Amino acid sequence: MLCLPVFAQASLGSWVKGVLHLGKYSETVATEVATLPEDHGTWGLAFSPHGRYLAASSPQTAFVQLWDWRKDRVVRRFRRSGSDIMVTTPLAFSPHGRLLASCQSDAYTIIQVWNSRTGAVVDNIPSPPSGGDCLALAFGPQGHSLIWIRSWLGNPPPNLRMLLVYSTRTWTERWGLATGPFDPNALAVSAHGHWAALGGGTNGYVGKWYATIPQIVLVNLTTHRIARTIRRTFLPLSPFTREFPGGGPGKPIIMPMGTNIPAALAWDPSAGTVAMGVWGGLGIGSANVVRIYKARTGALVAGESGPVKTWVTALRYTPHGRYLIEAGIDNTVEIWDGDHHHLLQKIPHQAWSLAVSAHGHYLALGEGRQIQIWRLQS
């Protein structure tokens, strides 16, 4: 009898369910209720806390638009500073809804914060002298802090702060954390604001091959320290492991073979797990495109395989962890149960971004030149 490691069993089981659609499958988990026209692709979406408004941004325009989506009209436009072409477009509402923040890619301003009710600029956070781009941001659950990460596009210097926490009263840095040589590009904050998960990688040689080794770094936001690192390690070359020839002996593979750099992270508010979606799949055959880990132990508890070169563009849990929503696999949006045991629905659209309302009633998909709003079963 063939005995597989626990992580391999989780990977194989989820892959079989994903391919064969075993278990419960429903076409009524989400129902489309509105479609909003957009002139450009939507790469950033955020619901206001009560769900009435939806903010949308594109890398091809200097404006963030605020939709009253039920009435199909734009109620406010926020002009971003700098060039009309922005590289990054993440958005975040503060918990009370009065503030809207956007990552920039500008020589002078890296984050812009507006009063969502008046459109006035509250603050422009300047680009750090040491450089780097803002790739993700989030408000703390009480609204007292703005948490963001910058990317170095390589191994950052050991003393360079890559995770930064700013006060929303003074808009000055409260504290920062150096993560080098790890370079983050994805961020998820736990529901209570005690933990942050950073997704990214470290560049280095594995044997004679130069590669980026994917990692998830778990940070305790109370103690300001790295608590755990979940990373990819490599075993010696074998007939079944040709991904990185020349790799020396290592620890057991925590991130399975075929896993690539995290592109999206989501923190389950109920189960203490972190879901990871990748930039693209490596290896032979199916790729490991979604992986779910226990935050306290780093143990792999579920996963999903997909076509090689899959790009998981967005990943979200609904409040209370009822659903896990994934965008990008087979150019679809998949809705799973929170434990990732049953694929409940597939929406046949390639979404570049997605947002879930604070109460979990609505799902927004940024797809091509339109935004779709779906009502989720509660």
Side-chain angles (χ1 to χ4, degrees):
M1 179 178 178
L2 178 63
C3 294
L4 297 175
V6 172
F7 66 81
Q9 294 175 21
S11 175
L12 180 61
S14 294
W15 177 81
V16 170
K17 290 177 182 177
V19 171
L20 299 182
H21 307 296
L22 297 180
K24 179 182 177 183
Y25 189 87
S26 170
E27 293 292 343
T28 59
V29 171
T31 305
E32 188 176 358
V33 294
T35 302
L36 310 176
E38 271 288 358
D39 294 333
H40 307 283
T42 302
W43 285 27
L45 287 172
F47 276 106
S48 60
H50 48 65
R52 177 180 177 183
Y53 299 114
L54 178 69
S57 64
S58 165
Q60 301 178 34
T61 177
F63 290 95
V64 174
Q65 299 200 120
L66 187 66
W67 289 87
D68 185 337
W69 61 268
R70 290 184 178 89
K71 296 182 179 179
D72 192 13
R73 66 187 182 97
V74 175
V75 295
R76 193 163 291 112
R77 285 183 173 89
F78 307 92
R79 185 174 181 85
R80 299 186 293 190
S81 62
S83 169
D84 285 354
I85 304 299
M86 305 292 177
V87 176
T88 56
T89 55
L91 298 171
F93 271 100
S94 61
H96 46 62
R98 290 194 299 271
L99 302 176
L100 175 65
S102 169
C103 275
Q104 309 280 113
S105 182
D106 181 72
Y108 305 102
T109 300
I110 199 163
I111 295 175
Q112 197 157 13
V113 185
W114 298 277
N115 183 314
S116 65
R117 297 171 184 173
T118 67
V121 174
V122 174
D123 199 77
N124 291 325
I125 296 177
S127 299
S130 51
D133 287 328
C134 174
L135 293 186
L137 77 170
F139 283 94
Q142 305 303 319
H144 302 316
S145 60
L146 179 66
I147 305 160
W148 62 282
I149 58 170
R150 58 175 165 171
S151 181
W152 195 249
L153 300 179
N155 290 351
N159 62 344
L160 188 65
R161 297 185 301 278
M162 305 302 290
L163 172 71
L164 298 109
V165 180
Y166 274 61
S167 166
T168 56
R169 293 182 59 191
T170 63
W171 300 108
T172 56
E173 183 181 332
R174 281 181 171 171
W175 62 276
L177 182 66
T179 63
F182 169 75
D183 187 23
N185 57 37
L187 169 71
V189 177
S190 64
H192 297 292
H194 300 316
W195 295 85
L198 314 181
T202 301
N203 296 327
Y205 280 95
V206 181
K208 63 180 180 180
W209 292 76
Y210 191 77
T212 301
I213 302 171
Q215 294 173 251
I216 298 175
V217 171
L218 300 177
V219 177
N220 187 318
L221 296 177
T222 303
T223 63
H224 307 174
R225 297 189 179 200
I226 294 174
R228 181 166 293 102
T229 298
I230 303 170
R231 72 190 298 261
R232 193 48 211 289
T233 55
F234 301 93
L235 297 177
L237 180 66
S238 74
F240 305 103
T241 308
R242 300 184 179 275
E243 188 176 344
F244 290 100
K251 299 177 182 178
I253 299 174
I254 300 176
M255 288 188 179
M257 297 300 287
T259 302
N260 205 351
I261 304 303
L265 294 174
W267 200 294
D268 186 339
S270 62
T273 56
V274 177
M276 175 191 80
V278 305
W279 283 108
L282 299 174
I284 300 171
S286 298
N288 297 292
V289 296
V290 173
R291 286 291 172 266
I292 301 173
Y293 297 91
K294 277 288 185 185
R296 288 191 175 277
T297 64
L300 176 66
V301 295
E304 182 177 354
S305 296
V308 172
K309 298 184 179 179
T310 291
W311 179 9
V312 177
T313 54
L315 203 62
R316 293 286 187 279
Y317 280 101
T318 58
H320 312 298
R322 180 169 185 178
Y323 302 124
L324 174 61
I325 304 169
E326 309 164 359
I329 302 174
D330 286 326
N331 296 320
T332 66
V333 174
E334 296 185 353
I335 303 177
W336 289 76
D337 70 299
D339 293 327
H340 204 274
H341 292 160
H342 305 291
L343 177 60
L344 305 177
Q345 184 172 344
K346 274 194 173 188
I347 300 173
H349 293 292
Q350 173 63 60
W352 294 104
S353 57
L354 63 84
V356 175
S357 62
H359 297 293
H361 297 154
Y362 296 103
L363 165 68
L365 306 177
E367 186 265 322
R369 291 182 176 268
Q370 65 179 16
I371 300 170
Q372 298 178 349
I373 312 294
W374 295 69
R375 182 175 179 87
L376 295 167
Q377 285 185 357
S378 56

